[in-house]
Amino acid sequence: NEPRNPHKTTNGCTCQCVGPGIQAMVMASAYGYGAAAAALALNLTASVLSVYFGDASEGIIGPAQTCSVMHGNSSACHSLDERRLKLIFGDLHGLQPQPEQPAGSIVIFGARGGDDKSDKSEHRGDTIPMCNSIIELGWSCLPLFYSDEVHQDLLSLASGADGYISRVNPDVYEGVSIGKYEELLEELGNIGLAAMPHPRFMQRFGSKEALARISNLRTGLVDTVMYLDEASFYEVFTANLGQGPRVLKQNRGSQGEGIWICKLEDETLYGSKGGLPMDAMVEVTEAIDNSVERKTVRELIEAGYDYLRGEGSKEGGGLVDQAFMPRIIEGEVRVMYVGDTPVEIVHKKPREGGLSATLKSGAVYTRHSPDDPIFHRLMKSFSRDIPHLLPSLGLQDHPLPLLWTADFILGPARHPWSDSDGDHYFIGELNCSCVGITTQLHLTKLVAAEAIKICKAHRERSDDSRMVRGNLTQSAPSAA
């Protein structure tokens, strides 16, 4: 019942909108990739059509045109119908026009749903701003939604890019298997894309095992043990608990998940000889929410066995045991980095009487600049550790993550790196899994520059590798 409203396409042909749909009268040659058939099949409103396929009059270059830029042709987008386009791209409003001659291309993966979205957009609040900052630097950048259904489509679409940025939190999403998503990232890394980050890198960097690997660094905690079997867990953990309170951590988890603070109720048992009685009571505080339960030593050991036999027996499993640092009540200090540049410090103070520094537990967060004199000792100490961080984790062939954080807790002086009466900070957690900057959007320009830097360095390493392989082939002796 609406009047006919002609809309000019990029080549001057006319689209006519009748009611809610479109009668698109466009020749396939208008875009060079069959836009006429696509437009008729999509039956989208003119405004949405321009976002998907581009409208030069509005300065919009859509994903289909970006595919052509990335691949040198449009074959990757030919078979995408309306439903699949919507699944992959979602709402692209707010995305700046792609460069006509980009210096390179990056894709940013996300997933619909989860706790990291607002009511205003399907995308994370930092995704479109990150894309735009990359575009402003002369590179093309598209946000792509992952779902198992479009796994192969995404492999085809993204394969022409220089790199990818993963913005999918470890969460439960409808239609998404995290294992399959990680397979996609693995495949893209294997065909030569710069991975930001690669799933195996992310798992090793963010695992609690990393704390054991870096225990010899300045900010590492020497009293850190990794358990992969029941025998060592029983023997070493009970001995450690007999000397003082411990913190038991599942190898995977964040935001306090899978972390328990274990204290003997009868403090006179600390330091006693002959081992702990199995019926001694232990107060177990879960870090995620400060909830407390009582277990016997035997029950605590059995719970550890259950984990090591089940979830902990899988690749990336295990338990980490550290000395409890009572100054946690003063809070944790989180330092956020873009590459090797510190960009923000957050002091996370537990609520009165609590031990957990998560927002869920009621902790209060206060932001500081990286050069705040309060944290001079911490930043000086950790800056000396950073060159040794990735080698200690067996990741020396990788760059530092695009976006990552390190959490620190105050502890006793550690000689020779701190005075006997001086504060010393120890690492409690590393994380590079989808670090959010929705409330720090001013950082997107720095993130964009670092992402392009990583892609360029990766490209140069790949070119050097191909050159070496070519020289070896040319110099190889003839079979004759």
Side-chain angles (χ1 to χ4, degrees), residues 43-74:
N43 196 32
L44 300 171
T45 64
S47 61
V48 176
L49 183 66
S50 68
V51 171
Y52 278 120
F53 287 99
D55 186 338
S57 65
E58 297 183 14
I60 296 173
I61 298 179
Q65 289 164 304
T66 301
C67 286
S68 182
V69 169
M70 287 198 300
H71 291 268
N73 59 61
S74 59

Side-chain angles (χ1 to χ4, degrees), residues 98-253:
Q98 303 290 330
E100 292 187 8
Q101 294 183 321
S105 58
I106 295 172
V107 295
I108 299 182
F109 289 114
R112 283 185 176 81
D115 297 332
D116 54 356
K117 314 296 192 305
S118 71
D119 296 334
K120 298 179 180 178
S121 175
E122 298 175 294
H123 296 282
R124 290 172 52 94
D126 50 16
T127 295
I128 296 296
M130 285 172 62
C131 287
N132 288 338
S133 291
I134 291 170
I135 290 168
E136 288 168 3
L137 292 177
W139 281 49
S140 69
C141 187
L142 278 177
L144 306 175
F145 281 120
Y146 178 83
S147 64
D148 295 347
E149 181 180 347
V150 294
H151 182 109
Q152 287 302 124
D153 295 321
L154 290 173
L155 181 60
S156 178
L157 281 170
S159 62
D162 290 277
Y164 70 75
I165 300 173
S166 175
R167 305 296 288 164
V168 178
N169 256 323
D171 203 341
V172 178
Y173 305 96
E174 185 177 351
V176 174
S177 305
I178 294 298
K180 288 204 67 174
Y181 172 64
E182 291 181 347
E183 285 178 13
L184 172 70
L185 301 186
E186 292 254 9
E187 290 177 279
L188 291 173
N190 290 341
I191 63 177
L193 272 70
M196 295 176 274
H198 193 284
R200 288 200 301 273
F201 179 101
M202 181 171 59
Q203 289 165 10
R204 178 169 291 190
F205 187 88
S207 70
K208 302 304 183 287
E209 180 185 1
L211 303 177
R213 288 175 173 264
I214 64 173
S215 61
N216 62 323
L217 299 185
R218 288 172 181 265
T219 52
L221 184 61
V222 174
D223 192 357
T224 301
V225 186
M226 177 78 181
Y227 305 115
L228 296 173
D229 61 86
E230 298 174 26
S232 62
F233 175 63
Y234 172 79
E235 181 180 351
V236 180
F237 178 70
T238 53
N240 285 345
L241 184 59
Q243 299 305 308
R246 307 297 295 182
V247 181
L248 199 56
K249 304 180 179 183
Q250 293 180 2
N251 196 25
R252 292 187 183 183

Side-chain angles (χ1 to χ4, degrees), residues 327-397:
R327 294 186 69 181
I328 183 63
I329 61 173
E330 299 175 42
E332 290 182 347
V333 176
R334 170 167 291 177
V335 185
M336 181 190 294
Y337 284 83
V338 177
D340 60 0
T341 303
V343 294
E344 182 181 77
I345 294 175
V346 178
H347 180 221
K348 307 187 294 180
K349 180 76 164 59
R351 73 165 188 256
E352 191 67 29
L355 297 173
S356 173
T358 65
L359 284 173
K360 184 176 181 179
S361 68
V364 176
Y365 285 21
T366 305
R367 301 183 188 279
H368 300 262
S369 65
D371 57 357
D372 192 316
I374 298 173
F375 301 106
H376 172 73
R377 184 191 295 269
L378 163 62
M379 298 306 292
K380 181 179 179 181
S381 184
F382 190 51
S383 67
R384 295 178 178 178
D385 276 345
I386 286 180
H388 309 288
L389 188 62
L390 295 185
S392 296
L393 298 175
L395 298 170
Q396 60 274 10
D397 294 331

Side-chain angles (χ1 to χ4, degrees), residues 285-296:
T285 303
E286 190 161 6
I288 193 169
D289 57 6
N290 285 319
S291 61
V292 179
E293 60 179 323
R294 299 172 72 242
K295 292 180 179 290
T296 64

